[in-house]
mmCIF file of all heavy atoms in Angstrom:
data_model
loop_
_atom_site.group_PDB
_atom_site.id
_atom_site.type_symbol
_atom_site.label_atom_id
_atom_site.label_comp_id
_atom_site.label_asym_id
_atom_site.label_seq_id
_atom_site.Cartn_x
_atom_site.Cartn_y
_atom_site.Cartn_z
ATOM 1 N N ALA A 1 -35.401 51.949 -49.650
ATOM 2 C CA ALA A 1 -35.682 53.316 -49.228
ATOM 3 C C ALA A 1 -35.525 53.535 -47.716
ATOM 4 O O ALA A 1 -36.089 52.743 -46.903
ATOM 5 C CB ALA A 1 -37.112 53.691 -49.610
ATOM 6 N N PRO A 2 -34.718 54.483 -47.306
ATOM 7 C CA PRO A 2 -34.606 54.806 -45.904
ATOM 8 C C PRO A 2 -35.961 55.073 -45.278
ATOM 9 O O PRO A 2 -36.754 55.774 -45.767
ATOM 10 C CB PRO A 2 -33.662 56.003 -45.828
ATOM 11 C CG PRO A 2 -32.919 55.977 -47.130
ATOM 12 C CD PRO A 2 -33.919 55.378 -48.135
ATOM 13 N N GLY A 3 -36.182 54.498 -44.107
ATOM 14 C CA GLY A 3 -37.412 54.711 -43.395
ATOM 15 C C GLY A 3 -38.590 53.841 -43.810
ATOM 16 O O GLY A 3 -39.632 53.836 -43.198
ATOM 17 N N ASP A 4 -38.413 53.114 -44.930
ATOM 18 C CA ASP A 4 -39.543 52.259 -45.432
ATOM 19 C C ASP A 4 -39.388 50.874 -44.800
ATOM 20 O O ASP A 4 -38.767 50.007 -45.400
ATOM 21 C CB ASP A 4 -39.501 52.214 -46.981
ATOM 22 C CG ASP A 4 -40.634 51.346 -47.521
ATOM 23 O OD1 ASP A 4 -41.543 51.009 -46.735
ATOM 24 O OD2 ASP A 4 -40.606 51.007 -48.738
ATOM 25 N N GLN A 5 -39.885 50.660 -43.619
ATOM 26 C CA GLN A 5 -39.783 49.402 -42.935
ATOM 27 C C GLN A 5 -40.979 48.510 -43.298
ATOM 28 O O GLN A 5 -42.039 48.625 -42.579
ATOM 29 C CB GLN A 5 -39.628 49.597 -41.472
ATOM 30 C CG GLN A 5 -38.314 50.271 -41.044
ATOM 31 C CD GLN A 5 -37.997 50.122 -39.587
ATOM 32 O OE1 GLN A 5 -38.783 49.617 -38.751
ATOM 33 N NE2 GLN A 5 -36.843 50.583 -39.181
ATOM 34 N N GLN A 6 -40.814 47.671 -44.261
ATOM 35 C CA GLN A 6 -41.937 46.818 -44.614
ATOM 36 C C GLN A 6 -42.245 45.854 -43.507
ATOM 37 O O GLN A 6 -41.344 45.342 -42.862
ATOM 38 C CB GLN A 6 -41.534 46.011 -45.900
ATOM 39 C CG GLN A 6 -41.364 46.869 -47.149
ATOM 40 C CD GLN A 6 -40.942 46.045 -48.362
ATOM 41 O OE1 GLN A 6 -40.181 45.103 -48.205
ATOM 42 N NE2 GLN A 6 -41.412 46.380 -49.517
ATOM 43 N N ALA A 7 -43.519 45.620 -43.286
ATOM 44 C CA ALA A 7 -43.921 44.753 -42.188
ATOM 45 C C ALA A 7 -43.340 43.356 -42.398
ATOM 46 O O ALA A 7 -43.295 42.830 -43.503
ATOM 47 C CB ALA A 7 -45.487 44.692 -42.126
ATOM 48 N N ALA A 8 -42.977 42.741 -41.265
ATOM 49 C CA ALA A 8 -42.321 41.421 -41.351
ATOM 50 C C ALA A 8 -43.181 40.366 -42.082
ATOM 51 O O ALA A 8 -42.702 39.563 -42.773
ATOM 52 C CB ALA A 8 -42.022 40.928 -39.883
ATOM 53 N N ARG A 9 -44.558 40.529 -41.894
ATOM 54 C CA ARG A 9 -45.369 39.535 -42.513
ATOM 55 C C ARG A 9 -45.377 39.536 -44.019
ATOM 56 O O ARG A 9 -45.798 38.568 -44.701
ATOM 57 C CB ARG A 9 -46.852 39.694 -41.988
ATOM 58 C CG ARG A 9 -47.475 41.012 -42.483
ATOM 59 C CD ARG A 9 -48.889 41.165 -41.990
ATOM 60 N NE ARG A 9 -49.490 42.377 -42.538
ATOM 61 C CZ ARG A 9 -49.356 43.645 -41.994
ATOM 62 N NH1 ARG A 9 -48.614 43.747 -40.901
ATOM 63 N NH2 ARG A 9 -49.920 44.696 -42.562
ATOM 64 N N THR A 10 -44.887 40.597 -44.622
ATOM 65 C CA THR A 10 -44.929 40.725 -46.105
ATOM 66 C C THR A 10 -43.677 40.052 -46.780
ATOM 67 O O THR A 10 -43.699 39.750 -47.955
ATOM 68 C CB THR A 10 -44.970 42.162 -46.594
ATOM 69 O OG1 THR A 10 -43.692 42.783 -46.167
ATOM 70 C CG2 THR A 10 -46.115 42.944 -45.921
ATOM 71 N N TRP A 11 -42.656 39.751 -45.960
ATOM 72 C CA TRP A 11 -41.404 39.279 -46.571
ATOM 73 C C TRP A 11 -41.505 37.818 -47.055
ATOM 74 O O TRP A 11 -41.015 37.548 -48.192
ATOM 75 C CB TRP A 11 -40.256 39.388 -45.530
ATOM 76 C CG TRP A 11 -39.827 40.833 -45.267
ATOM 77 C CD1 TRP A 11 -40.527 41.854 -44.722
ATOM 78 C CD2 TRP A 11 -38.530 41.326 -45.553
ATOM 79 N NE1 TRP A 11 -39.767 42.918 -44.622
ATOM 80 C CE2 TRP A 11 -38.553 42.702 -45.104
ATOM 81 C CE3 TRP A 11 -37.342 40.832 -46.121
ATOM 82 C CZ2 TRP A 11 -37.466 43.500 -45.235
ATOM 83 C CZ3 TRP A 11 -36.225 41.662 -46.238
ATOM 84 C CH2 TRP A 11 -36.284 42.989 -45.778
ATOM 85 N N PRO A 12 -42.108 36.889 -46.333
ATOM 86 C CA PRO A 12 -42.112 35.497 -46.806
ATOM 87 C C PRO A 12 -42.748 35.365 -48.199
ATOM 88 O O PRO A 12 -42.319 34.546 -48.977
ATOM 89 C CB PRO A 12 -42.884 34.719 -45.716
ATOM 90 C CG PRO A 12 -42.672 35.556 -44.481
ATOM 91 C CD PRO A 12 -42.692 36.996 -44.988
ATOM 92 N N HIS A 13 -43.834 36.090 -48.410
ATOM 93 C CA HIS A 13 -44.598 35.918 -49.662
ATOM 94 C C HIS A 13 -43.633 36.225 -50.898
ATOM 95 O O HIS A 13 -43.550 35.432 -51.855
ATOM 96 C CB HIS A 13 -45.767 36.875 -49.668
ATOM 97 C CG HIS A 13 -46.508 36.837 -51.004
ATOM 98 N ND1 HIS A 13 -47.185 35.784 -51.503
ATOM 99 C CD2 HIS A 13 -46.680 37.841 -51.960
ATOM 100 C CE1 HIS A 13 -47.772 36.042 -52.621
ATOM 101 N NE2 HIS A 13 -47.455 37.283 -52.978
ATOM 102 N N GLU A 14 -42.867 37.290 -50.842
ATOM 103 C CA GLU A 14 -41.970 37.629 -51.956
ATOM 104 C C GLU A 14 -40.893 36.659 -52.054
ATOM 105 O O GLU A 14 -40.499 36.242 -53.169
ATOM 106 C CB GLU A 14 -41.471 39.080 -51.854
ATOM 107 C CG GLU A 14 -40.662 39.486 -53.054
ATOM 108 C CD GLU A 14 -40.399 40.974 -53.061
ATOM 109 O OE1 GLU A 14 -40.922 41.756 -52.249
ATOM 110 O OE2 GLU A 14 -39.583 41.416 -53.950
ATOM 111 N N CYS A 15 -40.320 36.242 -50.911
ATOM 112 C CA CYS A 15 -39.224 35.211 -50.964
ATOM 113 C C CYS A 15 -39.705 33.945 -51.687
ATOM 114 O O CYS A 15 -39.035 33.410 -52.543
ATOM 115 C CB CYS A 15 -38.795 34.831 -49.549
ATOM 116 S SG CYS A 15 -37.914 36.185 -48.657
ATOM 117 N N LEU A 16 -40.814 33.454 -51.313
ATOM 118 C CA LEU A 16 -41.382 32.192 -51.887
ATOM 119 C C LEU A 16 -41.702 32.361 -53.395
ATOM 120 O O LEU A 16 -41.446 31.482 -54.226
ATOM 121 C CB LEU A 16 -42.597 31.725 -51.117
ATOM 122 C CG LEU A 16 -42.275 31.264 -49.702
ATOM 123 C CD1 LEU A 16 -43.585 30.945 -48.931
ATOM 124 C CD2 LEU A 16 -41.395 30.040 -49.664
ATOM 125 N N ARG A 17 -42.281 33.524 -53.721
ATOM 126 C CA ARG A 17 -42.513 33.781 -55.122
ATOM 127 C C ARG A 17 -41.290 33.769 -55.956
ATOM 128 O O ARG A 17 -41.201 33.187 -57.052
ATOM 129 C CB ARG A 17 -43.185 35.120 -55.331
ATOM 130 C CG ARG A 17 -44.667 35.195 -54.949
ATOM 131 C CD ARG A 17 -45.230 36.572 -55.318
ATOM 132 N NE ARG A 17 -45.233 36.716 -56.770
ATOM 133 C CZ ARG A 17 -46.329 36.876 -57.502
ATOM 134 N NH1 ARG A 17 -47.529 36.796 -56.900
ATOM 135 N NH2 ARG A 17 -46.270 37.074 -58.793
ATOM 136 N N ASP A 18 -40.193 34.415 -55.438
ATOM 137 C CA ASP A 18 -38.893 34.448 -56.146
ATOM 138 C C ASP A 18 -38.286 33.074 -56.330
ATOM 139 O O ASP A 18 -37.746 32.739 -57.419
ATOM 140 C CB ASP A 18 -37.947 35.384 -55.419
ATOM 141 C CG ASP A 18 -38.363 36.816 -55.443
ATOM 142 O OD1 ASP A 18 -39.297 37.199 -56.237
ATOM 143 O OD2 ASP A 18 -37.809 37.629 -54.707
ATOM 144 N N LEU A 19 -38.341 32.205 -55.280
ATOM 145 C CA LEU A 19 -37.840 30.892 -55.396
ATOM 146 C C LEU A 19 -38.629 30.066 -56.422
ATOM 147 O O LEU A 19 -38.069 29.332 -57.231
ATOM 148 C CB LEU A 19 -37.811 30.224 -53.997
ATOM 149 C CG LEU A 19 -36.844 30.836 -53.017
ATOM 150 C CD1 LEU A 19 -37.047 30.205 -51.619
ATOM 151 C CD2 LEU A 19 -35.386 30.647 -53.434
ATOM 152 N N ASP A 20 -39.897 30.202 -56.339
ATOM 153 C CA ASP A 20 -40.788 29.508 -57.337
ATOM 154 C C ASP A 20 -40.484 29.957 -58.787
ATOM 155 O O ASP A 20 -40.606 29.121 -59.689
ATOM 156 C CB ASP A 20 -42.231 29.765 -57.001
ATOM 157 C CG ASP A 20 -42.740 28.998 -55.751
ATOM 158 O OD1 ASP A 20 -42.025 28.074 -55.314
ATOM 159 O OD2 ASP A 20 -43.792 29.340 -55.257
ATOM 160 N N ALA A 21 -40.092 31.199 -58.934
ATOM 161 C CA ALA A 21 -39.804 31.743 -60.273
ATOM 162 C C ALA A 21 -38.473 31.185 -60.838
ATOM 163 O O ALA A 21 -38.236 31.324 -62.049
ATOM 164 C CB ALA A 21 -39.829 33.223 -60.260
ATOM 165 N N GLY A 22 -37.621 30.702 -59.966
ATOM 166 C CA GLY A 22 -36.348 30.145 -60.425
ATOM 167 C C GLY A 22 -35.118 30.615 -59.732
ATOM 168 O O GLY A 22 -34.004 30.285 -60.087
ATOM 169 N N ALA A 23 -35.294 31.479 -58.721
ATOM 170 C CA ALA A 23 -34.132 31.945 -57.953
ATOM 171 C C ALA A 23 -33.534 30.853 -57.153
ATOM 172 O O ALA A 23 -34.270 29.988 -56.564
ATOM 173 C CB ALA A 23 -34.546 33.093 -57.024
ATOM 174 N N ALA A 24 -32.253 30.802 -57.030
ATOM 175 C CA ALA A 24 -31.523 29.813 -56.241
ATOM 176 C C ALA A 24 -31.428 30.231 -54.775
ATOM 177 O O ALA A 24 -31.470 29.447 -53.879
ATOM 178 C CB ALA A 24 -30.107 29.518 -56.769
ATOM 179 N N LEU A 25 -31.300 31.550 -54.561
ATOM 180 C CA LEU A 25 -31.130 32.116 -53.244
ATOM 181 C C LEU A 25 -31.923 33.368 -53.176
ATOM 182 O O LEU A 25 -32.111 34.100 -54.210
ATOM 183 C CB LEU A 25 -29.672 32.464 -52.941
ATOM 184 C CG LEU A 25 -28.696 31.268 -52.933
ATOM 185 C CD1 LEU A 25 -27.236 31.826 -52.946
ATOM 186 C CD2 LEU A 25 -28.847 30.463 -51.652
ATOM 187 N N VAL A 26 -32.480 33.714 -52.017
ATOM 188 C CA VAL A 26 -33.007 35.044 -51.792
ATOM 189 C C VAL A 26 -32.052 35.837 -50.917
ATOM 190 O O VAL A 26 -31.327 35.319 -50.070
ATOM 191 C CB VAL A 26 -34.396 34.972 -51.106
ATOM 192 C CG1 VAL A 26 -35.419 34.369 -52.054
ATOM 193 C CG2 VAL A 26 -34.374 34.210 -49.759
ATOM 194 N N VAL A 27 -32.036 37.134 -51.168
ATOM 195 C CA VAL A 27 -31.088 38.048 -50.445
ATOM 196 C C VAL A 27 -31.937 39.038 -49.674
ATOM 197 O O VAL A 27 -32.764 39.715 -50.290
ATOM 198 C CB VAL A 27 -30.138 38.727 -51.466
ATOM 199 C CG1 VAL A 27 -29.240 39.723 -50.693
ATOM 200 C CG2 VAL A 27 -29.379 37.789 -52.285
ATOM 201 N N THR A 28 -31.737 39.162 -48.367
ATOM 202 C CA THR A 28 -32.471 40.139 -47.666
ATOM 203 C C THR A 28 -31.742 41.480 -47.710
ATOM 204 O O THR A 28 -30.593 41.551 -47.413
ATOM 205 C CB THR A 28 -32.640 39.714 -46.167
ATOM 206 O OG1 THR A 28 -31.336 39.522 -45.517
ATOM 207 C CG2 THR A 28 -33.396 38.394 -46.073
ATOM 208 N N GLU A 29 -32.493 42.504 -48.053
ATOM 209 C CA GLU A 29 -31.896 43.848 -48.280
ATOM 210 C C GLU A 29 -31.274 44.437 -47.045
ATOM 211 O O GLU A 29 -31.783 44.328 -45.958
ATOM 212 C CB GLU A 29 -33.018 44.783 -48.788
ATOM 213 C CG GLU A 29 -32.603 46.176 -49.068
ATOM 214 C CD GLU A 29 -31.633 46.272 -50.254
ATOM 215 O OE1 GLU A 29 -32.112 46.114 -51.380
ATOM 216 O OE2 GLU A 29 -30.437 46.411 -49.990
ATOM 217 N N GLY A 30 -30.078 45.053 -47.247
ATOM 218 C CA GLY A 30 -29.426 45.782 -46.195
ATOM 219 C C GLY A 30 -28.661 46.928 -46.728
ATOM 220 O O GLY A 30 -28.243 47.832 -45.980
ATOM 221 N N ARG A 31 -28.425 46.877 -48.076
ATOM 222 C CA ARG A 31 -27.543 47.851 -48.769
ATOM 223 C C ARG A 31 -26.137 47.968 -48.173
ATOM 224 O O ARG A 31 -25.812 47.243 -47.228
ATOM 225 C CB ARG A 31 -28.164 49.272 -48.772
ATOM 226 C CG ARG A 31 -29.544 49.356 -49.472
ATOM 227 C CD ARG A 31 -29.955 50.682 -49.928
ATOM 228 N NE ARG A 31 -29.223 51.132 -51.093
ATOM 229 C CZ ARG A 31 -29.390 52.256 -51.730
ATOM 230 N NH1 ARG A 31 -30.246 53.175 -51.218
ATOM 231 N NH2 ARG A 31 -28.690 52.546 -52.836
ATOM 232 N N GLN A 32 -25.355 48.816 -48.665
ATOM 233 C CA GLN A 32 -24.008 48.992 -48.174
ATOM 234 C C GLN A 32 -24.044 49.676 -46.849
ATOM 235 O O GLN A 32 -23.103 49.530 -46.030
ATOM 236 C CB GLN A 32 -23.133 49.826 -49.197
ATOM 237 C CG GLN A 32 -21.667 49.924 -48.840
ATOM 238 C CD GLN A 32 -20.964 50.836 -49.822
ATOM 239 O OE1 GLN A 32 -21.556 51.757 -50.351
ATOM 240 N NE2 GLN A 32 -19.670 50.616 -49.940
ATOM 241 N N SER A 33 -25.069 50.427 -46.586
ATOM 242 C CA SER A 33 -25.145 51.203 -45.321
ATOM 243 C C SER A 33 -25.549 50.389 -44.129
ATOM 244 O O SER A 33 -25.238 50.718 -42.953
ATOM 245 C CB SER A 33 -26.168 52.351 -45.487
ATOM 246 O OG SER A 33 -27.495 51.847 -45.649
ATOM 247 N N GLY A 34 -26.291 49.336 -44.338
ATOM 248 C CA GLY A 34 -26.801 48.538 -43.243
ATOM 249 C C GLY A 34 -27.869 49.219 -42.436
ATOM 250 O O GLY A 34 -28.005 48.988 -41.242
ATOM 251 N N THR A 35 -28.696 50.076 -43.083
ATOM 252 C CA THR A 35 -29.678 50.894 -42.350
ATOM 253 C C THR A 35 -31.076 50.767 -43.029
ATOM 254 O O THR A 35 -31.904 51.630 -42.711
ATOM 255 C CB THR A 35 -29.259 52.332 -42.263
ATOM 256 O OG1 THR A 35 -29.004 52.833 -43.641
ATOM 257 C CG2 THR A 35 -27.967 52.497 -41.455
ATOM 258 N N VAL A 36 -31.294 49.787 -43.858
ATOM 259 C CA VAL A 36 -32.550 49.644 -44.524
ATOM 260 C C VAL A 36 -32.907 48.136 -44.498
ATOM 261 O O VAL A 36 -32.141 47.306 -44.146
ATOM 262 C CB VAL A 36 -32.574 50.150 -45.972
ATOM 263 C CG1 VAL A 36 -32.246 51.656 -46.050
ATOM 264 C CG2 VAL A 36 -31.588 49.339 -46.815
ATOM 265 N N GLY A 37 -34.155 47.860 -44.941
ATOM 266 C CA GLY A 37 -34.539 46.440 -45.125
ATOM 267 C C GLY A 37 -34.599 45.696 -43.811
ATOM 268 O O GLY A 37 -35.405 45.853 -42.988
ATOM 269 N N THR A 38 -33.559 44.814 -43.700
ATOM 270 C CA THR A 38 -33.463 43.965 -42.518
ATOM 271 C C THR A 38 -33.121 44.741 -41.241
ATOM 272 O O THR A 38 -33.126 44.133 -40.149
ATOM 273 C CB THR A 38 -32.451 42.868 -42.769
ATOM 274 O OG1 THR A 38 -32.463 42.482 -44.142
ATOM 275 C CG2 THR A 38 -32.743 41.620 -41.915
ATOM 276 N N PHE A 39 -32.695 46.013 -41.389
ATOM 277 C CA PHE A 39 -32.266 46.819 -40.256
ATOM 278 C C PHE A 39 -33.078 48.045 -40.104
ATOM 279 O O PHE A 39 -33.674 48.542 -41.051
ATOM 280 C CB PHE A 39 -30.721 47.165 -40.481
ATOM 281 C CG PHE A 39 -29.877 45.944 -40.893
ATOM 282 C CD1 PHE A 39 -29.507 45.745 -42.211
ATOM 283 C CD2 PHE A 39 -29.534 45.026 -39.947
ATOM 284 C CE1 PHE A 39 -28.775 44.647 -42.592
ATOM 285 C CE2 PHE A 39 -28.793 43.866 -40.306
ATOM 286 C CZ PHE A 39 -28.454 43.713 -41.634
#
């Protein structure tokens, strides 16, 4: 979502949960626009 800048402290928790669930890699959101998520 544009403008929804999740606090940095919230990102590691979801990353680790996803890896524990069986993900091989985590992908940090940026979309095609490069104006959300990590940006």
Side-chain angles (χ1 to χ4, degrees):
D4 181 12
Q5 293 197 354
Q6 294 178 324
R9 67 179 183 277
T10 67
W11 290 64
H13 176 67
E14 185 168 352
C15 290
L16 292 172
R17 285 186 66 114
D18 291 348
L19 293 172
D20 287 344
L25 298 165
V26 293
V27 180
T28 61
E29 179 66 75
R31 299 201 76 178
Q32 187 185 29
S33 65
T35 57
V36 300
T38 325
F39 311 104

